[in-house]
Amino acid sequence: MKNQKKSEPNQYTIEGRNPVIEAFRAGKTIDKLYILDGCQDGPVASIRREAKKYDTIVRYVAKERLDQLSETGKHQGVIAFAAAYQYAEVADILEKAAEKNEPPFIIILDNIEDPHNLGAIIRTANLVGAHGVIVPKNRAALLTATVARTSAGALNYTPVAKVTNLTQTITDLKKQGLWFVCADMQGTTMYDINLIGPIGLVIGSEGNGISRLVKENCDYTAAIPMRGDIDSLNASVAAGVLAYEILRQRIKLIQG
């Protein structure tokens, strides 16, 4: 991973041709695969076939980059980064809502690349009763050990699904009755939006915000009131503020 640290536990880094092949064949979730650029031999071709089968992100890099990423110094031109936890399917999140007899509440993350933010948002998702979190396959923090630690155990209870196309996922969920609100400073004040019912809360990063197509497919934009001298919140804080407003409105509805 681009921001992978040497301190990440070795069990999430798989190095060497045979170990990587066996990880794929054993069904281990591989988030990202780095292969020595220009390497075309048989074992590497086998690894590439396995990666294609599982739609794994593949990056072709120079030997210097592999050496930098390597924990063992014996990468043999191949390094894989495996998820610390298994990903769920979007259907699993909807099923969890159905089991609780609750309207779905899903948090969708666009451009969140900081693993600490991802872990904190997963923790918040659990605390507010969200049924799951959806992250994109590209340009996103994935389920590393750092995320697991920052979630403070919430990853054991809150499913996280990884999808190829957020816009298509939102479109599909709309067909199942969900509507979507995204965080945006130029939006309607969150207290003035009815946030009950089956809902998807979309959060972008401080730097890049929410991508254009994702934003265009949201039904509302919600702004968090601010009175300070700076004009933005950390992504995980913004997610927490909006998620708790959704929870507040749900509790109020139940209490009548």
Side-chain angles (χ1 to χ4, degrees):
M1 285 186 160
K2 186 171 78 171
N3 295 323
Q4 188 79 16
K5 304 295 185 186
K6 289 282 188 177
S7 59
E8 289 287 0
N10 285 341
Q11 60 263 40
Y12 306 127
T13 304
I14 304 169
E15 301 185 33
R17 298 175 181 192
N18 286 336
V20 170
I21 289 175
E22 291 305 319
F24 274 116
R25 291 175 178 170
K28 185 71 175 175
T29 300
I30 304 298
D31 278 330
K32 198 169 290 187
L33 177 67
Y34 289 87
I35 296 176
L36 179 63
D37 192 19
C39 189
Q40 303 288 337
D41 62 24
V44 170
S46 296
I47 290 170
R48 290 168 59 189
R49 283 195 296 271
E50 292 292 328
K52 185 175 182 180
K53 187 188 305 182
Y54 293 100
D55 199 26
T56 301
I57 296 172
V58 179
R59 298 282 185 262
Y60 297 96
V61 297
K63 182 178 181 299
E64 290 76 15
R65 178 60 172 152
L66 289 171
D67 291 342
Q68 180 186 34
L69 293 169
S70 178
E71 296 278 355
T72 67
K74 301 176 181 178
H75 53 73
Q76 298 178 307
V78 181
I79 297 178
F81 288 105
Y85 281 68
Q86 289 294 109
Y87 291 95
E89 300 292 334
V90 174
D92 298 326
I93 297 174
L94 296 175
E95 184 178 339
K96 185 173 183 179
E99 288 172 354
K100 292 187 172 185
N101 197 29
E102 296 172 347
F105 175 11
I106 302 174
I107 298 178
I108 296 102
L109 305 181
D110 186 19
N111 290 320
I112 303 294
E113 298 187 65
D114 184 340
H116 294 91
N117 272 338
L118 175 57
I121 291 169
I122 293 169
R123 183 176 185 175
T124 296
N126 180 265
L127 291 170
V128 299
H131 301 104
V133 174
I134 296 175
V135 298
K137 175 181 170 183
N138 292 299
R139 293 187 300 118
L142 299 170
L143 299 186
T144 65
T146 297
V147 172
R149 286 194 299 271
T150 310
S151 79
L155 262 177
N156 293 302
Y157 306 100
T158 302
V160 177
K162 180 174 62 171
V163 300
T164 301
N165 188 314
L166 279 184
T167 302
Q168 185 59 53
T169 298
I170 289 172
T171 299
D172 293 342
L173 286 170
K174 281 185 173 183
K175 294 175 183 177
Q176 300 191 56
L178 276 78
W179 65 279
F180 291 84
V181 58
C182 66
D184 188 279
M185 291 188 300
Q186 306 305 317
T188 303
T189 301
M190 65 182 190
Y191 301 124
D192 295 332
I193 304 175
N194 184 337
L195 298 171
I196 60 175
I199 188 171
L201 170 62
V202 184
I203 302 292
S205 69
E206 304 101 291
N208 298 318
I210 297 169
S211 57
R212 180 181 59 82
L213 284 177
V214 170
K215 185 175 178 180
E216 287 176 356
N217 277 273
C218 289
D219 300 286
Y220 294 95
T221 56
I224 298 171
M226 288 181 278
R227 294 292 183 268
D229 299 312
I230 58 175
D231 61 1
S232 67
L233 288 168
N234 171 277
S236 63
V237 175
V241 172
L242 283 162
Y244 268 99
E245 175 59 16
I246 292 172
L247 176 61
R248 184 192 70 81
Q249 292 191 21
R250 287 190 167 206
I251 292 173
K252 185 177 180 181
L253 177 67
I254 293 171
Q255 294 177 340

